[in-house]
Amino acid sequence: RLIHSSALVDLDLDDLISGKSSEIRRKAFKGEWLFTSAIFSVAFPSQAKAYFLTGHGEASPDNSVRDPDYGKFAELLTREANVPWQKLSLQNTNDIPADCKLLIVANPAKATLDTNEISRIDAYLRRGGSLFVMLNNLILGPNSGIEKVLAGWGVAVSHYQVVDPRNSTAGNECTVISFNPPSHPLVKSIVAGGLPLQMLMPRWVGKTPNANPPANAPKVEELAFSSTNAVLGRYRSDGTLETNPRMGQFPLIVAVEQGGIKDVSTGTRIVVTGDQYFLNNKLIDLAANRYFAGFAINWLLDRPQVLFDGIGPRPVKTYKLLVTPVQAARLQWLLVAGLPGAVLLFGSLVWLRRRS
């Protein structure tokens, strides 16, 4: 496994792009995460295989240049997680292959899953499969039908998107800094690193209220939340956004787990995000988005805890020394004349002492 030096740090290019500065700052060190993942993949070759669902306008995993697509996410699967992938259509009589360990549904915005596709996905989950869903934004298309599958596993999906104008620059971002429980493997290292997730127009996604869940019910956890200043919005038919003035804190990411049977199944795991954008080619390298993608893959494939504990982005602290022109001139004379002069004087004293 090769890890290039250019991959060891995340660079902050915002000031350079905006013209505020010509400096490129290092904002996070990710060497520990990359080296640990590489050692693990070499020591324990992966037998897992991932499939990207197609046929409903999903973003393409083949293209790593076009902004809305998922080529960079697919590269993360193969290069960092060591998981081969291919595309999968469940239309006609196609079924989910037996070697599928992770089914990825990324932005199904152009068509609705039919009843046969829904039943096949649900059957795959019932026998211990893993599912990663990035829900489409309703301004681009209707519900895809995957919501029906998720409802059967205790996940509720809203028609409303979460708008968090106090934590965005353009008005439609949603900077996620609230994670609970912070000890969950999906977010533990992100919380420790102090980096947020950067989402764009996410839908509200949480757990279905159930006062008395049955003993064998899946464990559904809401992991990431907006700030308490967020509001819910809904797009009208003319494309304008109607918002509810009531502010609150809303869930954006959900993890589902149902224990497996020893020697039969490893159990079902599901991750659902209300945002289709934050892992596409344009946004995956922002904030802690890439780290979340890596942790989600490892958790869905039930990989060892060593890949989660304390391994994540390490913020790089930078310091700036501000001096006045007078102080700069003094420092220049000290470096040019003062330090060499002191060495010369000390050498002269040693020479004189030895002569005497």
Side-chain angles (χ1 to χ4, degrees):
R1 293 292 303 277
L2 294 177
I3 298 178
H4 297 282
S5 59
S6 59
L8 296 179
V9 294
D10 279 339
L11 301 177
D12 187 351
L13 303 177
D14 292 344
D15 290 346
L16 179 66
I17 295 174
S18 63
K20 296 180 181 179
S21 172
S22 59
E23 297 181 14
I24 298 177
R25 295 186 299 107
R26 296 180 301 168
K27 63 180 181 181
F29 174 74
K30 54 183 183 181
E32 184 182 3
W33 177 46
L34 291 175
F35 286 129
T36 303
S37 298
I39 292 170
F40 175 82
S41 65
V42 171
F44 304 96
S46 175
Q47 301 299 319
K49 192 170 185 178
Y51 286 81
F52 283 85
L53 187 67
T54 63
H56 318 89
E58 291 90 348
S60 172
D62 294 319
N63 192 317
S64 58
V65 177
R66 187 172 173 270
D67 285 348
D69 287 332
Y70 281 75
K72 291 184 178 179
F73 176 78
E75 290 175 1
L76 184 150
L77 267 171
T78 53
R79 294 182 183 180
E80 298 179 19
N82 197 32
V83 178
W85 61 269
Q86 66 184 68
K87 293 188 286 187
L88 171 67
S89 172
L90 293 179
Q91 297 172 344
N92 300 321
T93 59
N94 296 333
D95 203 350
I96 298 178
D99 65 350
C100 178
K101 302 301 181 184
L102 174 59
L103 180 63
I104 301 169
V105 182
N107 181 20
K110 302 300 182 184
T112 303
L113 281 74
D114 62 35
T115 54
N116 289 329
E117 291 175 295
I118 292 173
S119 63
R120 287 170 186 152
I121 294 174
D122 191 61
Y124 160 76
L125 292 173
R126 298 293 172 188
R127 61 176 183 260
S130 293
L131 177 67
F132 194 177
V133 180
M134 288 154 275
L135 292 166
N136 61 299
N137 190 290
L138 293 181
I139 192 175
L140 301 177
N143 280 337
S144 64
I146 195 68
E147 297 85 359
K148 295 180 181 178
V149 176
L150 300 176
W153 290 85
V155 179
V157 179
S158 172
H159 287 276
Y160 289 93
Q161 79 167 55
V162 179
V163 183
D164 201 354
R166 296 191 185 182
N167 289 280
S168 69
T169 55
N172 55 5
E173 307 107 302
C174 186
T175 302
V176 182
I177 57 175
S178 178
F179 302 96
N180 187 44
S183 59
H184 193 282
L186 269 173
V187 299
K188 181 178 181 179
S189 295
I190 294 176
V191 172
L195 292 177
L197 294 178
Q198 189 66 55
M199 307 184 87
L200 184 66
M201 297 188 292
R203 292 171 69 177
W204 182 101
V205 53
K207 59 183 179 181
T208 304
N210 192 341
N212 298 300
N216 62 344
K219 181 182 180 182
V220 184
E221 294 183 277
E222 298 170 346
L223 298 181
F225 299 81
S226 68
S227 76
T228 56
N229 298 316
V231 297
L232 293 178
R234 189 171 187 174
Y235 281 99
R236 304 185 183 95
S237 58
D238 60 0
T240 59
L241 181 66
E242 175 187 7
T243 59
N244 186 326
R246 183 180 64 85
M247 291 191 300
Q249 188 174 49
F250 305 102
L252 306 171
I253 297 176
V254 166
V256 181
E257 182 175 13
Q258 188 169 48
I261 303 172
K262 187 176 181 181
D263 299 327
V264 177
S265 170
T266 57
T268 300
R269 289 187 172 184
I270 304 171
V271 173
V272 186
T273 72
D275 183 15
Q276 70 192 45
Y277 297 107
F278 82 123
L279 296 183
N280 68 15
N281 292 334
K282 184 175 182 178
L283 300 185
I284 191 172
D285 290 318
L286 293 180
N289 294 6
R290 175 178 286 271
Y291 302 109
F292 176 83
F295 292 136
I297 293 168
N298 286 335
W299 183 77
L300 286 165
L301 295 177
D302 196 20
R303 288 181 165 174
Q305 189 68 26
V306 68
L307 295 178
F308 302 98
D309 284 341
I311 301 176
R314 296 284 187 254
V316 176
K317 295 182 180 180
T318 57
Y319 303 91
K320 184 177 291 186
L321 180 64
L322 301 176
V323 295
T324 64
V326 174
Q327 292 171 329
R330 291 175 181 172
L331 286 172
Q332 184 176 7
W333 279 109
L334 177 63
L335 295 174
V336 173
L339 293 180
V343 173
L344 181 61
L345 177 61
F346 181 75
S348 299
L349 292 174
V350 172
W351 178 74
L352 289 173
R353 178 182 177 87
R354 288 182 175 179
R355 286 199 60 186
S356 60

